[in-house]
Amino acid sequence: MNRTIIKLENVWKIYKMGEVKVNALRGVDLSIKEGEFVSIMGPSGSGKSTCVNMVGCLDVPSKGRISLDGHNIAHLSESELAQIRGRKIGFIFQQFNLIPTLTAIENVMLPMVFQGYSQEDRIKRGKELLALVELQDRMHHRPTELSGGQQQRVAIARSLANNPEVILADEPTGNLDTSTGKNVMDFLMKLNRKEGKTIIMVTHDSYVANAANRVEYLKDGKIIKTKHN
Amino acid sequence: MLNEYFNLALKNLLKRKLRSWLTMIGIFIGIAAVVSLIGLGQGLRNAVIGQFSFLGTDFITVQAGGVQFGPPGSGVVKPLTKDDVEDLNDVNGVKFAIGRLIKTGKTEFDDKVSFNFVGSMPDGEQRKEVEKILGIKAEKGRLLKDGDRLKVVVGNHLLNKDHLGEKLKIGSKILVQGKQFEVVGILESRGSFIIDTVVFMNIDTMREVFDKKDDVSAILVKTRDGANMNIVKENIEKVLRRTRKVDEGEEDFRAELAANNLAALDSTLFAVQLFVYIIAGISLVVGGIGIMNTMYTAVIERTKEIGIMKSIGAKNEDVFILFFFESGLLGMVGGIIGIGIGVGLAKGLAYIGSLQLGSNLIQANISFGLIVGALLFSYLIGSLAGILPAVQASKLSPVEALRYAK
Ligand SMILES: Nc1ncnc2c1ncn2[C@@H]1O[C@H](COP(=O)(O)OP(=O)(O)OP(=O)(O)O)[C@@H](O)[C@H]1O
Ligand SMILES: [Mg+2]
């Protein structure tokens, strides 16, 4: 397959809560190639979100090495991490996480604001992306005026705003009913197959996980099993 | 880019309208107080300086009547005379002394009656001096000249309907103390109600009309260049004490440096303004704290939103700017409303004042600079109040912020 785009080597994440230490990740090794669709499964509290957040540069490991495109991000400043997040990574969350004061298209355009795109470019791309998730007729609706599935599709469109290489989805269907979840999954799969986006997706649903090329099983902060589909 | 942040900030303010309004109250009270009081204070100062310049500032004025004897010309007081003027001309350090008659007179024109100050103009060289001191210029017609008998020059506001009316023009015949005069000049407005409603006539005519052969109402003394005004004043007092046969401390006349009066006025005005500034300042500080409080609340409320923005590429600076703008905007909108209220208040108070005084002596003087200054200042307060909350917002860790449950 293609080049390795993300590599985790012996990654530890330790949360200190007063005297108590929580080992959320305990030496995770993981490597993901360009264009891959990887699912992460595991019981609640096993460290899935922690792992994905670290890949997404939202957090840095307590120990170990995370390379994006061959660069170690463990020692980058918050500003540099934000740059990488903005350009290379698109997030999709379980709770959709749209900004409630902004309309669908404004939400989709917001990542482009932080990258300094012109208003014209933002509107053009925003419209294209909403069309991609079949929401062009909901452009000026606020999140509260959209269904869960529609909100998640807006979030998918937003994750694509700056044309990132990697999409990180943390339980994207977790708040949706089965058929709506399937619809959202269809869009994610289309992104992987047609646009060649690398996708890392956390899920509890083995049916959803099976859509991936590969499933990684996490337990107690360690990868205990890998399954190739 | 920046206007995008501005839009975002504006949306957030509009979303919580009631809170935004409440937050701005402190700012607009403060700004309204500052704007209206600076406006009125400046207007008041202009008005009073306008009155004083009637006498000139680098002059010594001498009037009959001691401080303890009530206002000059109250009858009991022994008036100053032409002889006193002669005497003062010989005092050491005096360049010249000019005697002037100033009376209240009844003027009539076109069935209208008005009571005004009537002032005398001296003949010859001294005429130019007095014109210069009073700062009078003819807007229409001309100023008086030697030999103008039964001719007058009138102040600009005499044309107002509550005086002689706008029919008054060059060549009009008016009655002063029952005697007919021809109007040969109308003065430019000076912003001093005394000069703007005055009737000037030559000294000889005036002595005739008011039947005052020797009296003078006031003596204007111009000192020689480089002379110490205080010493000249003392010399004048010495001479007058001798000629009027009074002891020191019991003078029935008053010599004053006009400049001293101005300074006294300024310090009174300053005290009033200082008091108001302090109150306005307190209000603005309270307003600023209100903004700070609102912004801290907003940061907590929008913790999750901050996490979201960071997850999609907002740098710490971006988050800072967003909140910083928002609080600056809160201050500025408060300022805009405050300026509106302040201007209204100043104009309203000036209007009430003008009704009370029967003249538009006090005018709200609201300059462009004052408005721009108030606007910038309110933005500044808002921004300053927003710094700490904005720093707090920008420093939130993205993961923690995203985990924050509403
Ligand atoms: N900020 C934090 N402070 C302290 N402990 C934390 C923090 N974030 C996560 N943890 C702990 O780390 C462990 C892993 O958490 P994580 O959120 O990654 O689990 P998860 O696999 O995503 O679970 P779920 O399926 O419930 O979302 C948990 O024990 C959690 O309590
Ligand atoms: Mg999780």
Side-chain angles (χ1 to χ4, degrees):
Chain A
M1 244 190 151
N2 303 336
R3 70 190 165 104
T4 299
I5 183 165
I6 297 161
K7 199 173 171 82
L8 279 69
E9 293 164 89
N10 189 28
V11 168
W12 288 70
K13 184 69 189 182
I14 301 155
Y15 290 110
K16 287 196 191 77
M17 313 220 304
E19 295 291 294
V20 189
K21 283 185 185 172
V22 179
N23 292 317
L25 293 180
R26 299 191 294 168
V28 171
D29 291 298
L30 183 65
S31 95
I32 290 162
K33 296 205 164 73
E34 199 177 4
E36 257 193 315
F37 190 160
V38 176
S39 251
I40 298 175
M41 290 194 78
S44 186
S46 56
K48 305 182 297 292
S49 295
T50 308
C51 182
V52 166
N53 288 343
M54 221 108 51
V55 170
C57 299
L58 278 176
D59 211 346
V60 286
S62 311
K63 210 162 77 182
R65 193 185 153 88
I66 299 181
S67 348
L68 261 173
D69 272 344
H71 303 290
N72 187 5
I73 62 149
H75 308 295
L76 296 183
S77 73
E78 169 52 31
S79 247
E80 291 165 318
L81 291 173
Q83 288 284 13
I84 298 177
R85 286 197 293 270
R87 291 193 192 137
K88 300 201 164 187
I89 293 175
F91 280 98
I92 301 167
F93 303 93
Q94 181 175 357
Q95 308 94 326
F96 322 132
N97 284 355
L98 299 176
I99 307 268
T101 39
L102 303 182
T103 62
I105 189 156
E106 286 168 340
N107 264 291
V108 174
M109 296 191 304
L110 193 55
M112 294 183 258
V113 170
F114 299 126
Q115 299 307 318
Y117 284 100
S118 74
Q119 168 113 356
E120 238 173 283
D121 291 349
R122 294 201 303 262
I123 291 173
K124 185 163 168 282
R125 179 130 177 96
K127 283 181 176 166
E128 278 170 16
L129 290 170
L130 281 177
L132 185 74
V133 295
E134 292 164 16
L135 280 175
Q136 58 272 55
D137 55 336
R138 291 284 191 278
M139 223 154 42
H140 302 299
H141 289 234
R142 279 171 217 287
T144 47
E145 300 157 0
L146 298 171
S147 73
Q150 289 171 331
Q151 288 187 53
Q152 196 60 303
R153 273 143 65 196
V154 173
I156 291 175
R158 180 180 66 184
S159 74
L160 295 169
N162 292 322
N163 199 18
E165 293 162 54
V166 182
I167 306 278
L168 299 176
D170 194 346
E171 299 189 45
T173 60
N175 273 3
L176 302 173
D177 63 58
T178 319
S179 72
T180 321
K182 193 171 169 304
N183 174 258
V184 165
M185 278 307 301
D186 288 343
F187 279 107
L188 283 178
M189 264 143 72
K190 203 163 87 182
L191 286 181
N192 178 247
R193 306 243 162 91
K194 293 223 174 101
E195 318 265 328
K197 299 284 179 209
T198 309
I199 297 183
I200 301 168
M201 182 178 68
V202 173
T203 185
H204 280 296
D205 188 337
S206 54
Y207 169 80
V208 169
N210 285 334
N213 307 125
R214 178 152 63 99
V215 187
E216 300 281 356
Y217 292 91
L218 259 179
K219 199 179 174 205
D220 295 334
K222 274 184 178 161
I223 290 180
I224 52 163
K225 191 166 80 176
T226 304
K227 183 179 139 201
H228 293 270
N229 285 332
Chain B
M1 184 80 173
L2 282 184
N3 68 339
E4 206 49 49
Y5 289 118
F6 186 80
N7 282 339
L8 285 171
L10 193 64
K11 280 204 177 85
N12 281 317
L13 289 184
L14 290 177
K15 201 197 165 203
R16 43 191 165 89
K17 285 199 188 72
L18 180 62
R19 200 195 300 166
S20 300
W21 284 117
L22 293 176
T23 304
M24 286 184 297
I25 286 176
I27 297 294
F28 61 64
I29 289 176
I31 293 286
V34 170
V35 168
S36 60
L37 279 138
I38 293 181
L40 274 182
Q42 198 54 46
L44 197 63
R45 190 172 186 277
N46 286 353
V48 180
I49 287 173
Q51 310 310 316
F52 272 96
S53 65
F54 177 63
L55 299 172
T57 50
D58 55 346
F59 276 75
I60 297 170
T61 59
V62 186
Q63 291 182 319
V67 187
Q68 63 271 53
F69 289 124
S74 51
V76 201
V77 179
K78 187 170 140 198
L80 294 163
T81 65
K82 278 172 162 175
D83 293 340
D84 293 325
V85 179
E86 303 279 292
D87 290 345
L88 293 192
N89 260 315
D90 297 334
V91 169
N92 220 346
V94 171
K95 196 168 178 187
F96 57 78
I98 305 170
R100 299 199 63 217
L101 259 183
I102 301 162
K103 296 280 168 205
T104 314
K106 179 182 175 192
T107 53
E108 295 163 80
F109 173 73
D110 188 33
D111 294 338
K112 289 196 160 93
V113 180
S114 170
F115 289 88
N116 320 84
F117 282 108
V118 179
S120 69
M121 282 305 222
D123 289 330
E125 284 294 297
Q126 295 183 347
R127 181 188 300 278
K128 283 267 160 310
E129 291 292 342
V130 172
E131 284 170 358
K132 208 171 81 192
I133 298 159
L134 300 182
I136 55 172
K137 291 197 183 75
E139 183 178 282
K140 293 195 190 103
R142 60 170 174 85
L143 295 177
L144 292 168
K145 57 180 197 262
D146 289 5
D148 274 337
R149 221 181 86 83
L150 296 182
K151 300 209 166 124
V152 290
V153 164
V154 299
N156 200 282
H157 293 176
L158 233 58
L159 275 67
N160 290 353
K161 65 174 184 305
D162 46 344
H163 291 287
L164 297 182
E166 56 190 9
K167 279 193 202 150
L168 191 70
K169 57 179 195 293
I170 305 300
S172 291
K173 301 272 191 273
I174 65 170
L175 295 180
V176 181
Q177 297 292 84
K179 231 182 165 86
Q180 200 181 58
F181 283 82
E182 183 193 344
V183 176
V184 296
I186 295 167
L187 299 175
E188 281 179 7
S189 176
R190 279 280 278 107
S192 152
F193 86 96
I194 298 178
I195 289 196
D196 286 342
T197 60
V198 78
V199 172
F200 283 122
M201 58 181 68
N202 279 340
I203 182 80
D204 294 341
T205 316
M206 188 153 171
R207 290 199 182 287
E208 208 178 304
V209 172
F210 285 85
D211 193 24
K212 298 280 181 199
K213 287 203 178 55
D214 295 312
D215 293 4
V216 294
S217 316
I219 303 172
L220 279 183
V221 179
K222 169 111 176 147
T223 51
R224 284 186 194 286
D225 292 342
N228 181 321
M229 304 260 294
N230 282 308
I231 293 174
V232 177
K233 178 177 168 247
E234 278 166 26
N235 290 342
I236 289 170
E237 285 166 344
K238 228 176 276 170
V239 169
L240 285 178
R241 270 200 297 273
R242 203 175 58 229
T243 59
R244 294 166 70 90
K245 301 188 178 61
V246 287
D247 289 333
E248 193 164 356
E250 287 169 10
E251 289 90 348
D252 57 354
F253 62 88
R254 237 172 336 140
E256 283 170 349
L257 304 182
N260 284 357
N261 290 325
L262 200 61
L265 169 80
D266 266 347
S267 76
T268 311
L269 270 182
F270 179 74
V272 172
Q273 282 181 337
L274 191 69
F275 176 70
V276 172
Y277 285 151
I278 288 171
I279 292 187
I282 290 170
S283 168
L284 288 172
V285 167
V286 171
I289 292 170
I291 290 183
M292 197 186 283
N293 183 42
T294 296
M295 292 312 295
Y296 269 124
T297 311
V299 171
I300 291 167
E301 272 179 352
R302 280 191 265 147
T303 299
K304 178 117 190 186
E305 218 171 295
I306 294 164
I308 297 169
M309 290 200 280
K310 289 196 160 187
S311 76
I312 59 174
K315 294 190 283 293
N316 289 2
E317 304 92 273
D318 296 322
V319 174
F320 176 85
I321 291 173
L322 213 53
F323 280 84
F324 186 64
F325 260 26
E326 197 170 314
S327 69
L329 205 58
L330 210 46
M332 194 161 76
V333 175
I336 291 172
I337 295 166
I339 290 168
I341 295 174
V343 171
L345 208 62
K347 299 258 184 220
L349 287 175
Y351 180 71
I352 292 169
S354 75
L355 290 183
Q356 296 281 323
L357 290 172
S359 92
N360 45 1
L361 171 63
I362 300 168
Q363 282 178 343
N365 189 320
I366 290 159
S367 63
F368 182 67
L370 176 59
I371 288 180
V372 172
L375 210 58
L376 288 178
F377 190 60
S378 56
Y379 183 74
L380 192 75
I381 292 175
S383 304
L384 285 178
I387 288 177
L388 290 178
V391 165
Q392 176 172 316
S394 75
K395 291 224 167 118
L396 285 175
S397 123
V399 184
E400 297 294 320
L402 277 171
R403 282 167 62 95
Y404 185 86
K406 270 199 183 166

